[in-house]
Amino acid sequence: MSQLSLRKEGTARTIAMKGGGYYSERTRGAKDVIDNASGMLIEAVDQILPPAQGHPVTLADFGAADGGTSQEAIKACIEKIRVRFPGTQVQITYTDLPNNDFSALFRNLLGFEQQVHRTYLTELEDVFVNACGIGFHQQLLPDASLDIGFSATAMHYLSEKPCTIDDHVHMVGATGDAARAFAEQAAQNWLDILLARAKELRPGGRLVMLNFGIDEQGRYLGNTGGVNMFNTFAALWQKMAQEKIISDAEFKDTAFPQYYRTIEEFCAPLEDKSSAVFQAGLRLVTAHTGVVGCPYRRAYDEASGAMSAAQFAASYVPTLRSWSEAVFLSGLDNSRALEERHAIVDEFYKRYESQVANHPDGHAMDYVHCYLALEKVKL
Amino acid sequence: MSQLSLRKEGTARTIAMKGGGYYSERTRGAKDVIDNASGMLIEAVDQILPPAQGHPVTLADFGAADGGTSQEAIKACIEKIRVRFPGTQVQITYTDLPNNDFSALFRNLLGFEQQVHRTYLTELEDVFVNACGIGFHQQLLPDASLDIGFSATAMHYLSEKPCTIDDHVHMVGATGDAARAFAEQAAQNWLDILLARAKELRPGGRLVMLNFGIDEQGRYLGNTGGVNMFNTFAALWQKMAQEKIISDAEFKDTAFPQYYRTIEEFCAPLEDKSSAVFQAGLRLVTAHTGVVGCPYRRAYDEASGAMSAAQFAASYVPTLRSWSEAVFLSGLDNSRALEERHAIVDEFYKRYESQVANHPDGHAMDYVHCYLALEKVKL
């Protein structure tokens, strides 16, 4: 599931952390983003209304994958809930698409994947978890049942790809009708997401969302001043079309079902008093953008010569591949044998790696997020 | 996961039903059992207390596998809830072990596995689902949050195997210390199950459970007057030990982590006023046993000669294999290559099939269940 790819990368790293430092290095970026926002969750706990007598405080992590990267932040949140509302039970719902690996989620929560079987679920009393395997573009929880909703690096995924992008592979390079169609799809999806959450939240409830986006300086994932990652994807894929390794139709059919919203796009329905979202009681509390540096680039820079460009390329490209490969595979025609499709995509990432090894300057997958805090007011 | 094997068999069949009548024939037994009990769920809806204003009615299916066999019964239950409490939202939690295929559950609920995408979740408004991937021997839901709990053909699985069974493969053939150890483990697990449910249920809430058991005539799964299925398993496995195909240690290490309780064992903690279960407010409403005939045997008998004994054996043994194979595989020593272990188990079921083909009389996997309805009273 493409929605999960980036988070799943985080997953693999979390699980592999027991093996040593190499993999924990690989998860640092996604976890840094959530740790950055841990204070926003604590602030949310401070603001929610007390639960009704005998009712739990409820949390949800939307687009949670295996729950690995958010586990520490959620633990801190529960501990804060226990301070503010002693003796209160806590219920946490993890959501993701149907094909998510929910077994990995529960094994993680139960501590089966850790050498030391300590997780918030095994350590803290009176905490209950469940999972909902349905996309977050629709209402997933009963009306007014949620105290704090959380989402990290998930809501850039669209419910569907509105059209092809003929001359690029991502909406950041789309123009004209394609750019407009992606923007419209994203605007509708964002309304759907916010209206669903407005129904789920109790009055006084909070949403904390860390979404991939485009910041005030036009920066976005893999485009923070150096080589543009998505332009590199597009150029290498286009070259393979020119060389007839893939067809022109396959190039056109390849597009990430994603949209990076600007802070204005994120905030618009929350500030326009006539919008359905505003009328449903959702209000903007805070919005800001932030960049979290690429851990691979940082490791290379900090090695100051002790790591070769080839070594950097070999460490860097697999992280791009982990969340983007499914998109390039799905662009290829089904008439090709599966092995052939995999061979083509192998060649594609080999070319990316060669390019980085030959000209390492400026390659980095920095994370650019919009950090949003919202509240549901009583109408 | 052994707990799921029998229900998973139902799953495979449910998914495959679109392919025609052969597979639906294979699920008939498990689904008949639930359909038998559909009235018990409707009765439960009649008895629960109205939900608090703005709160959903909550259901849970404990040990649900992919939710296929209970789907019709749950739909009828929701429809009855809507008649009794118009406009009320409904929340359903499906539980199973962490390694359950929760993706199959959600795909089933969303109608992805059906030719016609109609399930209660796609057809009925204001119904919300989630899953909990933790075993039902512990509390899975917050205190006093559950209106109706349901479980079918799942709670005969023990939380762990208390000891080996040296001269048999199932507790139905165990004697002496082994029989006592299994009985004690089962008694403790049953207390754990009931105490967990007592915490989860709201006052007025109901439990409907259809558990494999031993009836008043001593009948149990595959032992209803003809050839005893578990004795056949044990004899064939023992013969393979005598022939040195498996070792004596492997024979001893093979045992189903199950216990078939009698109706007295099911009811004891609910009738003993000094038990923790009774004191937690759980009360017995009804208990009865019932036998649902083996659909394979029925098809063979009804064919009256048009089906050969070999054809019957070829249709019958795979259903036994689907839920028992993991137990025989796990009894084999890990020092054997995986292929060798599979070859041994292939030979085992080949021998079972030959025995049925040569002497078909009396072979049948009739289901024997104890049907229980419980209520949580206000203390």
Side-chain angles (χ1 to χ4, degrees):
Chain A
M1 303 310 300
S2 51
Q3 178 180 312
L4 314 173
S5 306
L6 187 56
R7 300 298 303 283
K8 272 189 178 294
E9 180 200 351
T11 302
R13 294 180 235 145
T14 306
I15 292 169
M17 278 174 77
K18 59 187 176 194
Y22 175 72
Y23 289 102
S24 64
E25 177 69 24
R26 297 181 70 171
T27 88
R28 192 176 296 166
K31 191 166 171 308
D32 280 353
V33 171
I34 293 178
D35 290 348
N36 272 354
S38 196
M40 295 172 75
L41 277 173
I42 299 299
E43 164 79 10
V45 176
D46 275 333
Q47 298 299 326
I48 58 171
L49 301 177
Q53 178 67 31
H55 283 263
V57 171
T58 58
L59 310 180
D61 183 349
F62 295 94
D66 75 350
T69 48
S70 67
Q71 197 166 124
E72 270 188 44
I74 287 181
K75 185 179 183 193
C77 188
I78 298 168
E79 286 168 339
K80 176 71 181 179
I81 289 168
R82 287 284 154 76
V83 171
R84 194 170 165 220
F85 309 115
T88 300
Q89 298 192 319
V90 177
Q91 168 84 62
I92 303 160
T93 298
Y94 288 89
T95 90
D96 216 305
L97 292 177
N99 283 352
N100 184 47
D101 186 351
F102 292 104
S103 293
L105 169 71
F106 288 111
R107 289 198 306 268
N108 253 341
L109 291 170
L110 291 165
F112 294 178
E113 307 290 2
Q114 284 78 33
Q115 279 184 313
V116 180
H117 295 243
R118 292 176 61 176
T119 70
Y120 72 75
L121 190 62
T122 61
E123 288 191 277
L124 306 177
E125 295 286 311
D126 288 327
V127 178
F128 302 94
V129 294
N130 63 48
C132 182
I134 304 177
F136 48 56
H137 296 104
Q138 60 182 283
Q139 185 179 351
L140 303 179
L141 307 167
D143 290 354
S145 66
L146 178 63
D147 290 301
I148 299 176
F150 174 75
S151 185
T153 317
M155 291 178 170
H156 55 296
Y157 277 96
L158 300 175
S159 61
E160 57 185 313
K161 200 169 72 175
C163 61
T164 59
I165 301 175
D166 291 354
D167 48 2
H168 208 278
V169 296
H170 195 280
M171 58 66 55
V172 296
T175 54
D177 287 347
R180 271 188 295 277
F182 269 74
E184 280 167 20
Q185 175 77 51
Q188 185 58 54
N189 278 172
W190 186 233
L191 287 180
D192 293 342
I193 287 170
L194 294 177
L195 286 172
R197 304 297 86 77
K199 286 182 185 165
E200 293 163 350
L201 284 168
R202 289 188 183 135
R206 290 268 174 143
L207 274 182
V208 173
M209 296 183 286
L210 331 177
N211 294 322
F212 271 157
I214 300 177
D215 77 1
E216 297 82 348
Q217 300 172 49
R219 295 179 296 187
Y220 51 84
L221 183 75
N223 175 43
T224 50
V227 177
N228 182 310
M229 178 184 68
F230 286 111
N231 287 352
T232 307
F233 278 146
L236 290 169
W237 201 235
Q238 182 74 71
K239 182 113 196 306
M240 288 175 72
Q242 285 159 1
E243 293 174 20
K244 307 293 181 199
I245 298 169
I246 65 171
S247 71
D248 290 341
E250 287 173 324
F251 180 86
K252 286 183 185 175
D253 277 344
T254 307
F256 289 78
Q258 302 181 347
Y259 188 87
Y260 292 167
R261 298 175 182 91
T262 64
I263 195 163
E264 290 76 20
E265 288 173 315
F266 280 120
C267 295
L270 297 156
E271 293 176 329
D272 172 4
K273 291 181 183 174
S274 70
S275 81
V277 170
F278 192 95
Q279 291 181 4
L282 268 196
R283 298 289 182 273
L284 184 64
V285 178
T286 61
H288 69 276
T289 59
V291 178
V292 169
C294 175
Y296 303 91
R297 182 75 215 182
R298 190 166 50 222
Y300 177 56
D301 290 342
E302 287 172 359
S304 12
M307 180 188 279
S308 70
Q311 285 173 318
F312 166 55
S315 72
Y316 173 65
V317 171
T319 191
L320 274 56
R321 182 170 184 159
S322 66
W323 56 271
S324 63
E325 179 170 23
V327 173
F328 291 98
L329 278 171
S330 72
L332 296 175
D333 199 287
N334 282 333
S335 67
R336 294 187 193 271
L338 190 61
E339 301 74 42
E340 189 185 358
R341 280 179 268 164
H342 278 283
I344 289 170
V345 171
D346 282 346
E347 170 65 18
F348 173 69
Y349 289 102
K350 204 176 121 196
R351 290 179 179 209
Y352 204 128
E353 188 176 328
S354 295
Q355 183 163 325
V356 175
N358 292 330
H359 304 286
D361 285 358
H363 284 283
M365 192 181 87
D366 295 333
Y367 294 87
V368 180
H369 280 81
C370 183
Y371 297 75
L372 294 165
L374 277 55
E375 70 175 325
K376 167 81 181 283
V377 298
K378 196 171 170 115
L379 295 174
Chain B
M1 302 311 300
S2 51
Q3 179 181 312
L4 314 173
S5 305
L6 186 58
R7 301 296 305 280
K8 274 191 175 292
E9 178 200 352
T11 303
R13 295 182 235 144
T14 305
I15 292 169
M17 277 175 78
K18 59 186 174 193
Y22 175 72
Y23 289 100
S24 63
E25 177 69 25
R26 298 182 68 171
T27 84
R28 194 176 296 166
K31 191 168 170 306
D32 280 354
V33 171
I34 293 179
D35 290 349
N36 273 354
S38 197
M40 295 172 74
L41 278 172
I42 299 299
E43 164 78 10
V45 176
D46 275 333
Q47 298 300 326
I48 58 172
L49 300 177
Q53 178 68 29
H55 283 263
V57 171
T58 58
L59 310 179
D61 183 348
F62 295 94
D66 75 350
T69 48
S70 67
Q71 196 166 126
E72 270 187 46
I74 287 181
K75 185 180 183 193
C77 188
I78 298 169
E79 286 169 340
K80 177 72 179 176
I81 289 168
R82 287 285 155 74
V83 171
R84 194 169 164 220
F85 310 115
T88 300
Q89 298 191 321
V90 177
Q91 169 84 63
I92 303 159
T93 297
Y94 288 89
T95 90
D96 217 305
L97 291 178
N99 283 353
N100 184 47
D101 186 351
F102 292 103
S103 293
L105 169 71
F106 288 110
R107 289 198 306 268
N108 252 342
L109 291 170
L110 292 165
F112 293 179
E113 306 291 1
Q114 285 77 33
Q115 280 185 314
V116 181
H117 295 241
R118 291 176 62 178
T119 70
Y120 72 75
L121 189 62
T122 60
E123 287 191 277
L124 305 177
E125 295 285 313
D126 287 327
V127 178
F128 302 95
V129 295
N130 63 47
C132 181
I134 304 176
F136 47 57
H137 296 104
Q138 60 181 284
Q139 184 178 352
L140 303 179
L141 306 167
D143 290 353
S145 66
L146 178 63
D147 290 300
I148 299 176
F150 174 75
S151 184
T153 316
M155 292 177 169
H156 55 297
Y157 277 97
L158 300 175
S159 61
E160 57 185 313
K161 201 168 70 176
C163 61
T164 58
I165 301 175
D166 291 354
D167 47 3
H168 208 279
V169 296
H170 195 280
M171 58 65 56
V172 295
T175 54
D177 288 347
R180 271 188 295 278
F182 269 74
E184 280 167 21
Q185 175 77 52
Q188 185 58 53
N189 279 170
W190 186 233
L191 287 181
D192 293 341
I193 288 171
L194 293 177
L195 286 172
R197 302 298 86 78
K199 287 182 185 166
E200 294 164 349
L201 283 169
R202 288 188 184 136
R206 291 269 174 144
L207 275 180
V208 174
M209 296 183 287
L210 330 177
N211 294 323
F212 270 156
I214 300 177
D215 77 1
E216 297 82 348
Q217 300 172 47
R219 296 179 295 186
Y220 51 83
L221 182 76
N223 175 44
T224 50
V227 178
N228 183 310
M229 179 185 69
F230 286 111
N231 287 351
T232 307
F233 279 147
L236 290 169
W237 200 235
Q238 182 74 71
K239 182 113 195 307
M240 288 175 71
Q242 286 159 359
E243 293 175 20
K244 307 292 181 201
I245 298 169
I246 65 171
S247 71
D248 290 341
E250 287 172 323
F251 180 86
K252 287 183 185 175
D253 277 344
T254 306
F256 289 78
Q258 302 180 348
Y259 188 86
Y260 291 167
R261 299 175 182 92
T262 63
I263 195 164
E264 290 75 21
E265 288 173 315
F266 281 121
C267 295
L270 297 157
E271 293 176 329
D272 172 5
K273 290 182 184 173
S274 69
S275 82
V277 170
F278 192 95
Q279 291 180 2
L282 268 196
R283 298 289 182 273
L284 184 65
V285 178
T286 62
H288 70 276
T289 60
V291 178
V292 170
C294 174
Y296 303 91
R297 182 76 215 182
R298 189 165 53 221
Y300 177 55
D301 291 342
E302 286 172 359
S304 17
M307 181 188 278
S308 70
Q311 284 172 319
F312 165 56
S315 72
Y316 173 66
V317 172
T319 190
L320 274 56
R321 180 170 186 160
S322 67
W323 58 270
S324 62
E325 179 170 24
V327 173
F328 291 98
L329 278 171
S330 72
L332 296 175
D333 199 287
N334 282 332
S335 66
R336 294 186 192 272
L338 190 61
E339 302 73 40
E340 189 186 358
R341 281 180 268 164
H342 278 283
I344 290 170
V345 171
D346 282 346
E347 171 65 18
F348 173 69
Y349 289 102
K350 205 176 121 195
R351 291 177 179 210
Y352 203 129
E353 188 176 329
S354 294
Q355 182 162 327
V356 175
N358 292 330
H359 305 285
D361 285 359
H363 284 283
M365 192 181 87
D366 295 332
Y367 294 87
V368 180
H369 280 81
C370 183
Y371 297 76
L372 294 165
L374 277 54
E375 69 175 327
K376 167 80 181 282
V377 297
K378 197 172 170 114
L379 294 172

